[in-house]
Amino acid sequence: MAEAPDVSDLQQKVVVIGAGMGGLAAALRLSHAGCAVTVLERHSHPGGKMRTVPSPAGPVDAGPTVLTMRHVFDALFKECGGTLDDHVTLEAETLLARHWWRDGTTLDLFADPEATATAIRAFAGPRGEQDFRRFNARTKRLYEAFKGPMMEAAEPSQAALTAHVLRNPSLIPDMSPHATLMSSLSRQFRDKRLSQLFGRYATYVGGSPLQSPALLALIWQSEAAGVWRVAGGMHKLATAIADFARSKGATFAYNTHVARIEVQGSRATSVITEDGTRYPADHIIFNGDPAALGHGYLGQKAAASVTRDATRPRSLSAYVHSFASIARGPELAYHNVFFGANPRDEFDPIAAGKMPRDPTLYICAEDRGGGTIPDGPERFEIIMNAPPHAAGAPEDPMEKEQCQTLVFQTLRRFGLTFGPTPGPGTLTMPSDFQALFPGSDGSLYGRSPHGLMAAFQRPTARSRLPGLYLAGGGAHPGAGIPMATLSGRHAAEAILTDLASTSRSLRMDTRGGMSTASRTAEPMQSPSSGS
């Protein structure tokens, strides 16, 4: 985190649109630095896609379920004068995930790499273990090489990264720069089940392993370093950050819909809500999918703040079941993956905008953390990958029923049934995600990661419109809870850096500096002079 300037005299007003993880992280950091922060959130709770729905067994997660890279959250709280453990309880899972195939085989992966290697040896023989050890070493080299210049850099440079690779030419064969993830894994693993398993990590950032670059294999390392559960559910992490930010002086307005970003001259200057309230701002952070800006959802002048290449093509969406029931059949872990027979029967239809023919299904058994087996109904989240759904696109009236049938018939092939069988009301569709997060086209991960240069296409914290900054999974460094949180750090640092530069300029131009009066939200008197 860059050294924060003294902003106490400047009374800088920051408006954050959206209380997702990126917006929350930025709000906390900026409040801690002395800014007057207001967060406007259209939903009734913080967390964005980290949402819950009610069930007879209590709130059930209906969004992200895998928490990795704990150090990102430890750093966030520490740099703001607190400790993560004082605000939320994270519980490490020794078993990363349990995987199932149609032939009846099962493989557990563990936080202990030696335990994973031993399990793979029992599953795929000595050659399988050997292939895994080589893969693990290769992805560890890639992760360490790209962590700094890509994930942690606020504005990654293609030229700088190229120079870094040329200084370390041994990375080139590890990268397999001209290969897709699946083709690369097929060469690395002689057991196709293992290549299918590690190919799933492309979906963590909304991509197909058939089209994503081989470099995405390094995502495995973020999970191999540890997976945590959040006591009480994933949403508790978002609530904890919001509460900490509030203790620093941030204010939150929930159930507040933003109509547009007002632009005066060439700078974003205020946020207008649907009820006409105007929030003047020295700096604005948009914590939503940047595609919403490009669509003009927040005004035509703000639409030019991102380029089309920064938001297109779109990433995957999902069909998400969230429910309480009693499971019968194979013994589930906390995280479970039930594989389809052939990845092409999943991803080729998705690429064509259709439902998978033979999907791979992820199940989070939310009450089975630490190996616990509940007595009675328990909470589940089932995720099936899907194509995005653009706003205004026609809906198939049979889609929900077809999805219900496909998901639970697929699980019955593995001997897994639920009683009672969840009804259609437990299902969130791609069109529902578009409604929940307008302008996203239902994509859950922003821009697609397909193509070697996709990571450089994502917008960074500074948008093309002065005064408007970006945070969230649609901005750099990308999708996922830790990445979105890092994007909030980048946005906060950009504002504080720009503020420090302005502060130095003011002190040079005005003896003793300048104090800007604090402004409060006020009713909008007339249509905006900008949009």
Side-chain angles (χ1 to χ4, degrees):
M1 178 77 175
E3 182 178 352
D6 180 5
V7 300
S8 56
D9 293 336
L10 300 176
Q11 298 180 326
Q12 291 290 298
K13 183 175 285 295
V14 179
V15 175
V16 181
I17 304 172
M21 292 301 292
L24 291 172
L28 173 55
R29 289 176 183 276
L30 291 169
S31 297
H32 178 68
C35 295
V37 178
T38 301
V39 182
L40 308 177
E41 169 56 52
R42 67 183 287 113
H43 299 294
S44 62
H45 53 83
K49 296 183 180 70
M50 193 184 292
R51 49 191 281 269
T52 63
V53 297
S55 82
V60 55
D61 284 328
T65 61
V66 180
L67 183 70
T68 60
M69 300 175 66
R70 175 183 171 145
H71 66 275
V72 170
F73 308 99
D74 283 320
L76 171 64
F77 280 81
K78 181 179 179 180
E79 290 166 10
C80 294
T83 61
L84 178 63
D85 289 335
D86 286 341
H87 294 266
V88 68
T89 300
L90 299 187
E91 300 166 336
E93 280 289 325
T94 57
L95 196 163
L96 300 179
R98 180 162 291 161
H99 305 83
W100 315 76
W101 283 266
R102 297 274 178 81
D103 62 5
T105 55
T106 304
L107 174 63
D108 289 349
L109 299 184
F110 298 91
D112 178 356
E114 287 303 313
T116 291
T118 299
I120 290 178
R121 182 184 182 91
F123 174 78
R127 296 199 308 175
E129 178 191 4
Q130 182 183 58
D131 291 345
F132 167 73
R133 290 187 181 277
R134 289 174 177 169
F135 168 79
N136 191 50
R138 182 181 294 111
T139 53
K140 186 174 293 186
R141 291 192 295 268
L142 290 172
Y143 185 84
E144 291 301 320
F146 286 91
K147 179 176 64 173
M150 281 300 298
M151 288 182 284
E152 296 177 356
E155 297 182 4
S157 163
Q158 184 176 342
L161 190 61
T162 300
H164 176 72
V165 172
L166 291 177
R167 289 193 299 270
N168 300 273
S170 62
L171 291 173
I172 296 175
D174 290 339
M175 293 170 59
S176 299
H178 302 295
T180 65
L181 178 59
M182 186 56 73
S183 64
S184 174
L185 292 172
S186 295
R187 292 194 297 270
Q188 295 179 59
F189 289 103
R190 284 165 283 192
D191 190 311
K192 69 177 183 178
R193 295 171 300 177
L194 294 177
S195 61
Q196 186 180 22
L197 187 161
F198 290 106
R200 296 301 300 174
Y201 288 94
T203 66
Y204 281 33
V205 292
S208 160
L210 304 177
Q211 295 176 273
S212 296
L215 184 61
L216 291 192
L218 61 77
I219 296 174
W220 153 247
Q221 287 299 324
S222 67
E223 188 166 288
V227 168
W228 284 264
R229 285 179 291 111
V230 181
M234 294 290 284
H235 64 285
K236 292 292 187 180
L237 177 59
T239 301
I241 299 174
D243 289 345
F244 196 23
R246 192 178 293 108
S247 75
K248 300 284 184 179
T251 60
F252 287 76
Y254 295 108
N255 299 306
T256 301
H257 292 209
V258 172
R260 69 181 183 278
I261 294 170
E262 189 174 49
V263 178
Q264 294 180 353
S266 60
R267 185 176 180 85
T269 57
S270 59
V271 175
I272 314 298
T273 62
E274 286 188 351
D275 67 1
T277 302
R278 180 175 180 268
Y279 291 83
D282 298 294
H283 309 277
I284 299 169
I285 297 176
F286 179 65
N287 175 212
D289 196 311
L293 294 171
H295 284 312
Y297 278 44
L298 295 183
Q300 288 305 310
K301 289 191 176 181
S305 61
V306 295
T307 65
R308 179 177 175 81
D309 287 346
T311 61
R312 301 281 171 180
R314 303 302 289 157
S315 68
L316 297 178
S317 185
Y319 300 96
V320 179
H321 287 84
S322 302
F323 60 95
S325 188
I326 295 176
R328 298 181 178 87
E331 183 177 336
L332 299 174
Y334 188 77
H335 297 294
N336 308 269
V337 181
F338 291 82
F339 284 105
N342 186 338
R344 288 206 166 274
D345 287 331
E346 177 179 14
F347 293 106
D348 284 350
I350 289 176
K354 300 178 181 179
M355 191 179 299
R357 288 189 296 271
D358 183 14
T360 289
L361 300 175
Y362 163 81
I363 300 181
C364 181
E366 296 181 18
D367 296 306
R368 298 202 177 206
T372 301
I373 301 178
D375 182 16
E378 54 185 303
R379 295 169 296 171
F380 297 96
E381 180 178 354
I382 303 177
I383 300 177
M384 180 173 77
N385 289 315
H389 182 97
E395 294 190 34
D396 181 350
M398 300 300 295
E399 184 180 14
K400 181 168 287 192
E401 181 180 339
Q402 291 170 349
C403 178
Q404 289 277 114
T405 300
L406 177 61
V407 166
F408 293 103
Q409 280 187 351
T410 297
L411 293 174
R412 278 195 289 272
R413 295 178 185 172
F414 291 91
L416 179 61
T417 61
F418 295 92
T421 301
T426 68
L427 176 60
T428 304
M429 308 267 285
S431 57
D432 297 322
F433 285 116
Q434 158 59 23
L436 287 167
F437 308 103
S440 67
D441 292 346
S443 294
L444 298 178
Y445 313 87
R447 190 190 191 280
S448 167
H450 298 165
L452 186 60
M453 294 295 105
F456 295 100
Q457 298 289 341
R458 286 181 179 270
T460 55
R462 288 184 178 87
S463 81
R464 291 156 58 93
L465 176 63
L468 177 61
Y469 302 78
L470 306 177
H476 173 75
I481 299 170
M483 298 295 102
T485 304
L486 283 174
S487 79
R489 185 182 83 178
H490 295 329
E493 287 183 341
I495 288 174
L496 294 175
T497 299
D498 293 347
L499 181 55
S501 176
T502 302
S503 177
R504 285 193 297 270
S505 176
L506 289 173
R507 284 194 292 268
M508 291 176 63
D509 294 342
T510 305
R511 186 176 178 179
M514 177 180 290
S515 176
T516 303
S518 175
R519 295 169 290 178
T520 57
E522 58 193 37
M524 186 178 67
Q525 301 298 317
S526 62
S528 169
S529 60
S531 61

